[in-house]
Amino acid sequence: MDLSNIGDLIGGLGLFLLGMQLMTNGLKRAAGQTLRKALEAATRSRIRGLISGTAITALVQSSSAVTVATIGFVNAGLLNLGQSVAVIYGCNIGTTMTGWLVATIGFNFKISAFALPMIGLGVVMSLIGGEKRYAHMGTSLTGFGLFFIGLSFLKGTFHGLENSIPFEAIGATSYGLALFVLAGFVMTVLIQSSSAAMAITLSMASTGAIPLAAAGALVIGANLGTTSTAALSVIGATSNAKRIACAHVFFNLITGAVGLLLLISLAGVINRSNLNQTVDMVILLALFHTLFNVVGVIIMWPVTTPMVAFLETRFRRGDEDQAKARFLDKNILETPPLAIEAMTRELSRVSRMASTLAKQSLSAELSDSPHIRSQSLIINKLIIEIGTFSQKLGQQPLSEEISQILPSAMRVARYFNEMARLSGLIVEYSERFDLISDSNTQKDIYELKKITNKMLDAAVIDDEAYQSSADTRKVLFKLEKKYQKIKQHILEAMIEGRLSPDEGTNLLDSLSHIHRLGLQAEKSSRYWSSLSPVEHRSPIIHHAEESEPAEGSDTSITESEPEDKKTSKSADQPVTAS
């Protein structure tokens, strides 16, 4: 192989990978919600998960894209681990479609006759289509053309290579076949694309540069090499992502070992036969690739349940502790609908934490202050993680609806953070409440706390993305009514001498924190509905006093304010953070 051939190899590989990337991105965006709907079908049974994984991967030509989407569904609670493993099995079968494209089209037609027109037509469709579906199809068509042009360069690179390297002699031994497996593995790790490694293998086989058994070993190595992509993608990812990656690794290692044993036992027969004279070797290798993965599924299917049970006990330390986000995964950022679901799932978890903390603060003693503060810091840390995730998501190409959802998501997160902060302040006033001697004032404090507890219960988000805020609006009216009455009673008690000026001032200050805590809970519930799809949203009711008050000041809705006077705004309109 001279310098010219090396240049063709590098350029052809680059064109092939660029074509694959354009084809995959175009198909993913053109498919729209198809990928999501197909994965939703996987929730019905494992066999449907297997079929869904196979079909989607064959459609978008990217097992990594489907794996990422599967991780997103597991993190969002839409798929369990067993169902997701079935989807991963399907991905391994679906990814063999690339081999069939190469074998049936790439090496049997004059590539320039159709690849160049495809590139030209695809570019025109992309330029005039904007963000329409056919523009994404144009991108995919362009990638398809580049894919085959890169393939033609690869094929030309390997002519005469068998004269330079004794592949046939190397592949005649068991150690030699193991060496070819290692070569396929290393090639896939370096290129980070099993499809490209498969294309190189088929190109070599089509020119007769390597014997059939050696080519089969390269295919096995390429399959094993995909485990490196899975391992690298889950560094710092969620527990679910690590479990799915482990299932992917187990599948490829076990099936790879079985495939290698079969190949070693049959290598002598294969190499001595004249199959290459009667059957197209490229078609035969594509068939072997598919059968190899199908057999792998058959082998793994009976042991899936115990494997899933084992994986569910792994990766718990350090990743599922309370202070670390459980659902935010960097791998799903490129699929915004799934990223939004993961973020709302994490916000739902923070909502429960903030509500629990707030209820604890209402009945806590001063000695509980360190615990309240530590929990408040945990919530603050989670809010920062959600904010960082939201910023990264905002850098992706987003639909108009998702662009409107992100500000509301951060607004809801800020309300949870404020609830945690107020919880820390309220516990500091616990001793002052105990020192109040006036029985009527004590009763008022008890009733305000009781209504605030009702608000916290009504506002907590229990993993239901379509939750309505109607219940919290009813409690809000009662909270405001009670708060205004308590303020009036305290002022009267100060005038009558039943409370000293210091007691009254401190009490008004502390009660304003409790009142504000209830307001933050109600607002989080009200704006939560805007994180749902448009057809499921509750209207967001904007009160006249919607703007955030300064610390220690009061916000209220007067008892006489009629319901129809409140300003309303549909939740599917953009919301500016206060």
Side-chain angles (χ1 to χ4, degrees), residues 219-503:
V219 170
I220 294 172
N223 237 43
L224 290 173
T226 59
T227 59
S228 67
T229 306
L232 291 172
S233 68
V234 297
I235 295 175
T238 61
S239 292
N240 285 325
K242 292 175 181 176
R243 290 172 187 137
I244 293 171
C246 272
H248 183 62
V249 171
F250 288 162
F251 176 88
N252 284 279
L253 288 178
I254 293 173
T255 56
V258 172
L260 182 58
L261 289 174
L262 288 173
L263 195 61
I264 289 173
S265 62
L266 298 173
V269 176
I270 293 173
N271 288 332
R272 284 194 300 270
S273 68
N274 59 351
L275 281 173
N276 59 332
Q277 297 175 7
T278 58
V279 181
D280 188 334
M281 277 187 64
V282 180
I283 294 289
L284 204 59
L285 280 174
L287 179 61
F288 172 70
H289 191 203
T290 301
L291 289 175
F292 169 72
N293 281 280
V294 170
V295 170
V297 173
I298 294 172
I299 293 171
M300 293 296 297
W301 198 263
V303 300
T304 298
T305 299
M307 182 182 70
V308 167
F310 169 76
L311 289 175
E312 285 178 339
T313 65
R314 305 293 99 187
F315 307 110
R316 291 187 175 275
R317 277 190 175 181
D319 190 52
E320 292 190 347
D321 60 281
Q322 199 177 28
K324 190 170 181 65
R326 294 182 185 174
F327 306 104
L328 306 183
D329 194 297
K330 63 181 184 205
N331 292 305
I332 61 175
L333 284 169
E334 293 183 0
T335 313
L338 296 179
I340 285 292
E341 288 187 13
M343 189 162 64
T344 54
R345 184 88 167 173
E346 195 66 49
L347 282 170
S348 174
R349 174 175 169 248
V350 174
S351 165
R352 294 190 292 275
M353 293 172 63
S355 179
T356 299
L357 183 66
K359 292 171 72 173
Q360 288 174 352
S361 71
L362 291 175
S363 59
E365 298 179 354
L366 191 59
S367 59
D368 298 319
S369 184
H371 168 72
I372 299 292
R373 281 199 302 269
S374 68
Q375 289 295 304
S376 178
L377 290 173
I378 287 173
I379 291 173
N380 180 257
K381 181 181 176 182
L382 288 171
I383 295 300
I384 291 173
E385 284 196 58
I386 292 171
T388 302
F389 186 84
S390 177
Q391 286 180 338
K392 291 179 180 177
L393 178 58
Q395 296 168 8
Q396 305 296 322
L398 303 177
S399 66
E400 183 179 355
E401 182 179 1
I402 291 179
S403 297
Q404 293 173 357
I405 284 174
L406 284 178
S408 288
M410 291 316 302
R411 184 168 188 163
V412 169
R414 192 181 72 92
Y415 292 143
F416 294 151
N417 203 29
E418 183 66 4
M419 287 170 64
R421 188 186 71 84
L422 289 168
S423 298
L425 294 175
I426 289 169
V427 74
E428 302 291 339
Y429 288 97
S430 58
E431 286 189 347
R432 299 183 187 182
F433 294 148
D434 294 335
L435 296 175
I436 301 298
S437 57
D438 183 63
S439 59
N440 289 331
T441 304
Q442 286 278 14
K443 182 180 177 182
D444 285 337
I445 294 171
Y446 169 78
E447 290 179 352
L448 183 64
K449 287 184 176 182
K450 184 177 179 180
I451 294 176
T452 305
N453 264 312
K454 286 184 179 179
M455 175 66 80
L456 294 170
D457 286 335
V460 69
I461 299 160
D462 189 19
D463 289 339
E464 176 52 65
Y466 310 143
Q467 179 170 316
S468 170
S469 59
D471 291 341
T472 55
R473 292 201 292 269
K474 293 176 183 177
V475 181
L476 177 64
F477 185 79
K478 296 178 181 178
L479 177 67
E480 293 292 350
K481 182 178 179 181
K482 176 57 65 177
Y483 180 59
Q484 294 302 323
K485 286 186 176 181
I486 288 177
K487 286 202 300 182
Q488 182 66 30
H489 291 169
I490 291 173
L491 291 172
E492 291 173 356
M494 290 170 65
I495 293 171
E496 296 170 3
R498 289 184 283 113
L499 290 174
S500 69
D502 284 344
E503 283 181 322

Side-chain angles (χ1 to χ4, degrees), residues 562-574:
E563 189 70 23
D564 60 353
K565 293 292 184 182
K566 298 175 187 175
T567 306
S568 64
K569 178 180 180 180
S570 175
D572 56 325
Q573 296 175 357

Side-chain angles (χ1 to χ4, degrees), residues 17-334:
L17 291 172
L18 176 61
M20 283 291 296
Q21 184 181 41
L22 291 174
M23 187 165 57
T24 297
N25 290 342
L27 287 170
K28 278 198 304 182
R29 299 192 71 180
Q33 295 295 321
T34 303
L35 185 147
R36 175 191 172 91
K37 290 177 181 177
L39 278 180
E40 284 176 346
T43 62
R44 298 173 190 172
S45 68
R46 284 188 185 176
I47 190 67
R48 286 179 179 266
L50 176 67
I51 295 170
S52 296
T54 303
I56 302 168
T57 306
L59 172 67
V60 301
Q61 283 296 293
S62 174
S63 59
S64 60
V66 180
T67 300
V68 164
T70 303
I71 291 171
F73 267 61
V74 175
N75 281 338
L78 302 176
L79 286 176
N80 61 40
L81 188 58
Q83 293 163 338
S84 70
V85 168
V87 174
I88 298 304
Y89 292 168
C91 286
N92 281 274
I93 297 175
T95 196
T96 65
M97 180 58 68
T98 303
W100 285 106
L101 284 174
V102 172
T104 56
I105 301 176
F107 293 152
N108 291 315
F109 295 92
K110 185 180 178 182
I111 291 176
S112 60
F114 66 89
L116 291 176
M118 287 171 66
I119 293 173
L121 178 61
V123 169
V124 171
M125 291 171 64
S126 299
L127 290 175
I128 66 176
E131 285 298 314
K132 294 180 180 177
R133 189 170 186 175
Y134 71 84
H136 302 313
M137 289 300 298
T139 301
S140 179
L141 200 60
T142 302
F144 208 57
L146 289 173
F147 171 94
F148 287 111
I149 288 179
L151 189 63
S152 69
F153 278 98
L154 288 177
K155 182 181 177 182
T157 300
F158 299 111
H159 278 293
L161 188 61
E162 68 276 10
N163 298 325
S164 304
I165 304 174
F167 288 122
E168 188 168 352
I170 297 172
T173 66
S174 300
Y175 293 110
L177 289 177
L179 191 62
F180 275 110
V181 172
L182 179 62
F185 176 84
V186 172
M187 185 164 52
T188 305
V189 170
L190 293 176
I191 303 172
Q192 284 296 294
S193 170
S194 62
S195 296
M198 187 67 185
I200 291 174
T201 301
L202 294 176
S203 298
M204 295 174 71
S206 70
T207 61
I210 56 174
L212 184 59
L218 282 175
V219 170
I220 294 172
N223 237 43
L224 290 173
T226 59
T227 59
S228 67
T229 306
L232 291 172
S233 68
V234 297
I235 295 175
T238 61
S239 292
N240 285 325
K242 292 175 181 176
R243 290 172 187 137
I244 293 171
C246 272
H248 183 62
V249 171
F250 288 162
F251 176 88
N252 284 279
L253 288 178
I254 293 173
T255 56
V258 172
L260 182 58
L261 289 174
L262 288 173
L263 195 61
I264 289 173
S265 62
L266 298 173
V269 176
I270 293 173
N271 288 332
R272 284 194 300 270
S273 68
N274 59 351
L275 281 173
N276 59 332
Q277 297 175 7
T278 58
V279 181
D280 188 334
M281 277 187 64
V282 180
I283 294 289
L284 204 59
L285 280 174
L287 179 61
F288 172 70
H289 191 203
T290 301
L291 289 175
F292 169 72
N293 281 280
V294 170
V295 170
V297 173
I298 294 172
I299 293 171
M300 293 296 297
W301 198 263
V303 300
T304 298
T305 299
M307 182 182 70
V308 167
F310 169 76
L311 289 175
E312 285 178 339
T313 65
R314 305 293 99 187
F315 307 110
R316 291 187 175 275
R317 277 190 175 181
D319 190 52
E320 292 190 347
D321 60 281
Q322 199 177 28
K324 190 170 181 65
R326 294 182 185 174
F327 306 104
L328 306 183
D329 194 297
K330 63 181 184 205
N331 292 305
I332 61 175
L333 284 169
E334 293 183 0

Side-chain angles (χ1 to χ4, degrees), residues 1-11 153 156-161:
M1 181 179 285
D2 56 22
L3 289 176
S4 175
N5 284 338
I6 293 174
D8 286 348
L9 174 62
I10 295 172
F153 278 98
T157 300
F158 299 111
H159 278 293
L161 188 61

